[in-house]
Amino acid sequence: MTTVLVTGADGQLGQCIQNITHQFPSLDFLFADRNTLDITVANDVLDFFETHAIDWCINCAGYTAVDNAENDQENACKVNSIGAKNMAQACQKNDVKMVHISTDFVYDGLKTTPYTELDKTNPVNVYGESKLKGENEIKQILDKHFIIRTSWLYSEYGNNFMKTMLGLAQDRQELSVVNDQLGTPTYAGDLARVVLNIIKLRSQDYGVYHYSNEGITSWFEFAKAIFEESNIELYIIPIDTKDYPTLAKRPRYSVLDKSKIKKMLNVEILDWRQSLRKALLKFNL
Ligand SMILES: NC(=O)c1ccc[n+]([C@@H]2O[C@H](COP(=O)([O-])OP(=O)(O)OC[C@H]3O[C@@H](n4cnc5c(N)ncnc54)[C@H](OP(=O)(O)O)[C@@H]3O)[C@@H](O)[C@H]2O)c1
């Protein structure tokens, strides 16, 4: 049996992993929420690894409030950089392999074609900086790592764009949504399966990978699809980023090239709209 520790287990990715464990009978799971294991406390992390026999760790813990991070750099860094470092050190010491989740926000968004893993990183906000520092800590400390950069993560759990849009639809007749930021939504349920397959296959092709659903869209088109697929009639107005000021700057284009992960796992990735239908079905269960 292979034992897998999942940190940040109550987040949306953590919960999506919990949902499909029965499909991976060769894996045993230890789910740790923030109360069970705070990844920012190095000694607690080391103690946890020393008192449990762990083969793989999936670090789903993260400071994910992108706008809050602008005025809370210390905590963003504590979780996303130091937390990642603590996890990598404990993995290194105990010969544990690590899957870490990172973000499209490590890129500046100035490209107009999909980002490959070899493209230059250049975060435009505090959250992206803190995640990039976390990646670099892991790379320095631990050889046996998979860093998966993903984008626009959503699911039936937690706080995310799909759920925000459905919530707003309950008391709004119209909505303005940004139409000049391009990227690809990622259903966390799909990402969960990809991560568990890497572990099930005992892959040793360590390194940085991109994963999102297929296709390119804008937040406006994503919102439109959410309402169309839910049979909700709502007037949506496409607007420019400049007309929707946020504390954190966002990359204008963050489509990820997924050739590398497709080759490694030999998988077909679903189009974002197909996955949206799956997520809505789960949400409406
Ligand atoms: N959401 C996106 O659009 C997106 C896009 C690209 C990449 N990612 C990355 O994907 C990963 C998973 O994202 P997600 O959307 O599942 O995040 P999420 O729903 O915000 O879950 C993150 C979890 O981490 C926990 N956590 C925070 N600080 C912690 C700490 N010090 N120790 C242990 N746990 C801690 C949180 O607990 P509390 O709720 O108690 O704070 C939460 O349960 C993150 O690394 C994120 O950076 C997310």
Side-chain angles (χ1 to χ4, degrees):
M1 215 49 156
T2 301
T3 302
V4 183
L5 166 66
V6 181
T7 59
D10 276 356
Q12 54 171 344
L13 180 58
Q15 292 194 69
C16 285
I17 293 174
Q18 296 195 43
N19 252 347
I20 57 167
T21 53
H22 60 283
Q23 295 170 27
F24 292 83
S26 64
L27 308 181
D28 233 358
F29 290 89
L30 282 171
F31 287 101
D33 61 14
R34 187 211 278 257
N35 294 329
T36 313
L37 180 60
D38 182 339
I39 67 164
T40 65
V41 186
N43 282 338
D44 287 1
V45 175
L46 282 172
D47 282 352
F48 194 94
F49 275 70
E50 270 151 30
T51 49
H52 298 83
I54 302 166
D55 301 297
W56 284 77
C57 152
I58 309 171
N59 186 26
C60 300
Y63 183 113
T64 56
V66 176
D67 288 309
N68 292 352
E70 291 300 303
N71 294 322
D72 192 16
Q73 187 159 13
E74 194 184 332
N75 282 316
C77 183
K78 211 166 149 191
V79 181
N80 293 341
S81 317
I82 297 169
K85 178 181 171 187
N86 293 340
M87 293 301 295
Q89 279 174 336
C91 286
Q92 173 62 22
K93 200 162 168 220
N94 294 277
D95 195 24
V96 174
K97 296 158 276 289
M98 179 177 187
V99 181
H100 175 77
I101 312 301
S102 191
T103 172
D104 55 332
F105 282 15
V106 298
Y107 299 116
D108 59 20
L110 297 178
K111 268 189 86 177
T112 50
T113 54
Y115 279 92
T116 77
E117 292 83 351
L118 299 174
D119 276 316
K120 190 175 163 287
T121 53
N122 183 29
V124 296
N125 58 40
V126 169
Y127 166 76
E129 269 170 30
S130 69
K131 292 293 289 184
L132 183 59
K133 271 193 202 153
E135 287 190 10
N136 290 336
E137 295 284 5
I138 294 167
K139 286 181 194 167
Q140 272 182 24
I141 295 165
L142 181 70
D143 290 335
K144 294 179 181 175
H145 68 255
F146 289 88
I147 293 171
I148 302 182
R149 294 181 183 146
T150 190
S151 59
W152 299 21
L153 204 60
Y154 73 96
S155 69
E156 61 273 34
Y157 302 112
N159 300 314
N160 59 64
F161 186 78
M162 178 187 86
K163 288 177 68 181
T164 302
M165 288 300 113
L166 292 172
L168 288 171
Q170 297 195 332
D171 48 27
R172 298 270 191 98
Q173 264 76 54
E174 64 171 54
L175 212 56
S176 301
V177 185
V178 168
N179 195 32
D180 60 352
Q181 287 171 29
L182 299 180
T184 316
T186 306
Y187 174 42
D190 291 345
L191 176 59
R193 191 174 305 281
V194 163
V195 170
L196 295 190
N197 271 321
I198 290 175
I199 299 176
K200 184 179 133 185
L201 297 173
R202 300 207 172 100
S203 174
Q204 295 185 16
D205 296 324
Y206 303 112
V208 177
Y209 290 85
H210 285 169
Y211 180 81
S212 69
N213 282 124
E214 291 287 12
I216 302 177
T217 192
S218 69
W219 293 108
F220 166 75
E221 293 292 345
F222 187 21
K224 214 166 124 221
I226 292 165
F227 297 131
E228 281 170 9
E229 297 293 346
S230 309
N231 293 318
I232 293 173
E233 284 198 15
L234 195 96
Y235 184 54
I236 323 175
I237 305 156
I239 58 167
D240 288 343
T241 302
K242 66 173 170 35
D243 299 319
Y244 185 75
T246 52
L247 276 178
K249 198 175 164 197
R250 262 87 174 160
R252 285 176 72 87
Y253 179 96
S254 63
V255 178
L256 301 172
D257 181 311
K258 294 164 287 290
S259 313
K260 189 178 169 190
I261 203 162
K262 280 197 259 189
K263 197 167 155 212
M264 176 185 56
L265 288 176
N266 197 19
V267 287
E268 202 182 316
I269 303 178
L270 286 184
D271 182 78
W272 67 267
R273 187 140 181 164
Q274 266 177 291
S275 283
L276 171 61
R277 283 185 210 117
K278 281 199 305 183
L280 285 166
L281 273 179
K282 293 262 184 186
F283 180 66
N284 292 316
L285 270 183

